[in-house]
Every structure is written in C-alpha cells, then in structure tokens.
Amino acid sequence: MSEQSESHPESQSDQEDVEAAVEQEAKKESSDEATAEADIEQALVEAQNKAEENWQLYMRSQAELENTKRRADRNVENAHKFGLEKFGMELLSVKDSLELGLSVEDSDAAKLKEGTNLTLKMLTQVMEKFSIMEVNPVGEAFDPNLHQAMSMQESAEHQPNTVIAVMQKGYVLNDRLLRPAMVMVSKAPS
C-alpha cells in the first residue's frame, strides 16, 4: 500500500463506495435501457399485429362491399330484364283471344264485335291488375297535369274549361301519367 492510501483509509473507502455506486448506477441504467428497449419492441410488435388485423378487416370489408355492389347491380339488371314478366304473361291470353277470333272463317259482324268486346274487357282487366287506369275526363274540369287540350269550343251548356269531348283517352300507371287524354275544352260564348 502506498503512503497516501494508508494515510487516508477513509478516503479510499469513500472512493470505492462512490465507484461502486457509479457502477451500480450504470448497471441499473443499462438494465433500465434494456427494459425500455424490450418494452418498445413489444409495443412495436403489438402495433404491427394490430395494423395487420386492421388491414385484414379492411380487405374483408372491401371484398364484402364489392360483393354487395355486384349483387345490387345484378338485381337491378334482372329487374330491368324481367320487370314486365308478369304483365307479359297476362297479355298472352289477350293475344291468344285475338288470334282465336281471327282464325274463325265464317263469322258475322255481330260475333266479331262480341269477341272484340270480350277481348277488350280482358285487356282492361289486365291493365287494371297492373294499376294502369284509364283517364276519360268528359264533363270534368280541364287538368293540364292529365289532359292535353287539342281545341276549344264555345259552349253555353258547360262551364268554361270543362272537357266536353275526348279524342283519345289517357292512362296513368300508379297515379303517374303514361299518356295525357287528348281533349276538347269549353270556353265561354263570345
């Protein structure tokens, strides 16, 4: 031992204590850094797993959205193609009746008229079944939403703007105008 260390045993002990404390502190800091690094790595792995989970969820949602869109497009396409299927089926009986009437060779005018009336009744029933209603406004007030005025005629018997004749009937489908009735409208005598 040197004279100096022998002369200051307390000082040497203090220095060793300080070195031990510094070394212990360094180990502790190193351990804390390792723990923090491990925590960060763990958090990174968890974040990556969560990101992957969200990505898979997004991809499934996109696929489901595309499938829903394709189904909706197919349904609209089928509705356009086959929307008239029932109406067409009902019209077939009207066509059959007309063809049957034309196939009779020796029929008189009365029988033809009777057959035509029956066929017209059948057609009217089909149209009513599909909510196609006739607009025949004789005697009603002129309605520009349903009627198309073809001419005006002076009339003392009718109020002005009253439909006094129908040249061609109109039709509505579920209260939406298919074709306006072509009408003659009254006006006050001059």
Side-chain angles (χ1 to χ4, degrees):
M1 266 194 203
S2 69
E3 285 180 23
Q4 195 173 21
S5 32
E6 285 176 3
S7 63
H8 303 290
E10 290 179 4
S11 168
Q12 184 179 8
S13 174
D14 287 343
Q15 186 174 356
E16 287 174 1
D17 288 345
V18 169
E19 287 176 1
V22 168
E23 190 175 316
Q24 189 174 11
E25 186 65 31
K27 283 181 181 177
K28 185 179 176 195
E29 283 180 12
S30 176
S31 173
D32 287 348
E33 286 176 8
T35 302
E37 191 173 306
D39 288 347
I40 289 171
E41 285 179 14
Q42 178 66 27
L44 179 61
V45 167
E46 288 174 5
Q48 286 174 336
N49 289 341
K50 188 70 178 172
E52 179 63 25
E53 186 179 305
N54 287 336
W55 176 253
Q56 292 300 323
L57 185 62
Y58 167 76
M59 293 302 287
R60 283 195 297 272
S61 298
Q62 280 295 106
E64 184 62 31
L65 184 66
E66 286 296 318
N67 288 338
T68 302
K69 187 177 181 296
R70 269 190 240 122
R71 278 194 300 271
D73 288 346
R74 191 172 44 242
N75 288 341
V76 168
E77 186 180 324
N78 285 340
H80 283 241
K81 280 183 182 175
F82 306 112
L84 294 175
E85 186 177 9
K86 289 181 182 175
F87 187 66
M89 288 293 291
E90 296 289 335
L91 282 181
L92 293 179
S93 61
V94 175
K95 185 175 186 290
D96 291 343
S97 178
L98 287 170
E99 288 175 346
L100 186 64
L102 289 173
S103 69
V104 176
E105 292 182 10
D106 57 341
S107 64
D108 59 17
K111 286 184 179 176
L112 279 176
K113 187 174 181 180
E114 182 184 341
T116 303
N117 281 333
L118 289 174
T119 304
L120 179 61
K121 184 178 176 185
M122 196 183 297
L123 179 61
T124 302
Q125 288 172 344
V126 168
M127 291 170 69
E128 287 174 358
K129 187 174 181 179
F130 288 93
S131 301
I132 299 174
M133 300 298 173
E134 189 177 279
V135 177
N136 189 7
V138 174
E140 297 176 7
F142 176 74
D143 182 353
N145 295 316
L146 297 173
H147 313 145
Q148 182 177 353
M150 303 305 292
S151 65
M152 295 193 81
Q153 184 173 356
E154 292 181 2
S155 174
E157 300 172 17
H158 300 92
Q159 293 286 325
N161 287 328
T162 300
V163 174
I164 56 176
V166 175
M167 282 85 118
Q168 187 180 56
K169 294 175 187 171
Y171 293 91
V172 291
L173 170 63
N174 291 321
D175 296 329
R176 190 165 90 180
L177 187 66
L178 282 179
R179 183 180 77 186
M182 295 182 179
V183 298
M184 182 184 295
V185 182
S186 66
K187 65 178 180 180
S190 51

